[in-house]
Amino acid sequence: MITSHEYKIHWWGVGANGSASMCWAFQNIFRIDYDKDNINCGRRNTVGTKFIDGYEIIVNARNPFNHVIAEMHDLERLENFDEFIKTSIGTLQCVKQVKWWEEAGINPTRYIKCEDMYGSLLKIPSLKAKTLECKDQLIPQINTVGYNRWGKGRQRLVESKYWNEENVAIALENKYFNKLFEAGYDKEGWK
């Protein structure tokens, strides 16, 4: 998690949804400092305990169905997709993060959607002016679908071939997975 007193935000990033790109933008364009000892640049597995009243809590988001596929690809678990959904969906970071939010007693107030991070930044009042000012620097770094700066690409493995009605129903039974849709995604978005 990183905090900006200038922009009055807490940003909490979790992998496989553009958070590496967003972390880069916050550091290099918005000039938000982070804990230099944290090798993940404050974006992964870091649960803040000091949330400041009046600060927005911002998280990156991605279509939950695509997020699960991307994360399972990273874990090399796609060959057992149906079994993993039945037995282990709660072990994925995208699902565990929601549990961490609950345990920390917070709810995100804004989402930066992986599919249009620039447009999402424009919707955050404290970041809008800087986003507009730095448009030419930001867009090539955060809104390029094939962006590959970190050796991955946000477009990887977004096919719906892994999802079917049965495993979608099982996934939606998980209250934490279900909460991922609050960022404005469609529960029919797996089709």
Side-chain angles (χ1 to χ4, degrees), residues 69 78-79 81-82 85 157 159-164 167:
I69 292 169
L78 284 173
E79 69 281 351
F81 188 84
D82 289 336
I85 295 301
L157 296 167
E159 314 94 31
S160 60
K161 70 180 184 179
Y162 295 99
W163 290 102
N164 58 49
N167 60 30

Side-chain angles (χ1 to χ4, degrees), residues 52-190:
I52 301 169
D53 286 340
Y55 281 37
E56 298 242 39
I57 299 172
I58 300 169
V59 298
N60 273 50
R62 181 179 191 171
N63 175 306
F65 298 113
N66 295 343
H67 199 163
V68 165
I69 292 169
E71 217 177 300
M72 288 181 66
H73 169 73
D74 290 347
L75 295 171
E76 299 179 357
R77 302 270 181 153
L78 284 173
E79 69 281 351
N80 299 318
F81 188 84
D82 289 336
E83 185 63 26
F84 192 91
I85 295 301
K86 287 178 187 172
T87 62
S88 304
I89 193 167
T91 65
L92 295 172
Q93 276 200 297
C94 62
V95 176
K96 286 193 302 189
Q97 76 175 342
V98 179
K99 184 177 182 196
W100 296 331
W101 299 341
E102 184 179 272
E103 290 170 355
I106 61 110
N107 243 336
T109 54
R110 304 276 181 176
Y111 295 92
I112 298 172
K113 289 186 167 186
C114 180
E115 299 83 1
D116 180 18
M117 292 195 282
Y118 181 79
S120 296
L121 287 172
L122 290 174
K123 294 177 183 175
I124 302 171
S126 65
L127 300 175
K128 184 176 181 176
K130 185 70 169 180
T131 300
L132 288 168
E133 175 188 330
C134 298
K135 177 182 180 179
D136 293 339
Q137 293 172 285
L138 279 168
I139 287 182
Q141 299 297 328
I142 65 171
N143 256 43
T144 305
V145 174
Y147 181 56
N148 207 26
R149 180 180 183 97
W150 304 104
K152 300 176 182 178
R154 287 190 294 276
Q155 196 58 19
R156 74 189 188 281
L157 296 167
V158 295
E159 314 94 31
S160 60
K161 70 180 184 179
Y162 295 99
W163 290 102
N164 58 49
E165 288 190 32
E166 182 183 348
N167 60 30
V168 166
I170 291 167
L172 289 172
E173 287 176 7
N174 181 294
K175 76 175 187 175
Y176 301 118
F177 177 77
N178 216 353
K179 190 166 175 65
L180 293 170
F181 292 90
E182 290 182 9
Y185 293 101
D186 183 358
K187 290 183 181 178
E188 299 292 314
W190 62 275

Side-chain angles (χ1 to χ4, degrees), residues 1-2 11 13-15 19-20 22-24 27 34-46 93 150:
M1 185 179 82
I2 62 176
W11 176 74
V14 171
S19 61
M22 197 73 261
C23 190
W24 180 91
Q27 291 170 26
Y34 67 98
D35 179 356
K36 303 282 190 238
D37 294 328
N38 183 339
I39 61 169
N40 290 310
C41 70
R43 73 178 178 97
R44 199 177 285 190
N45 295 334
T46 306
Q93 276 200 297
W150 304 104

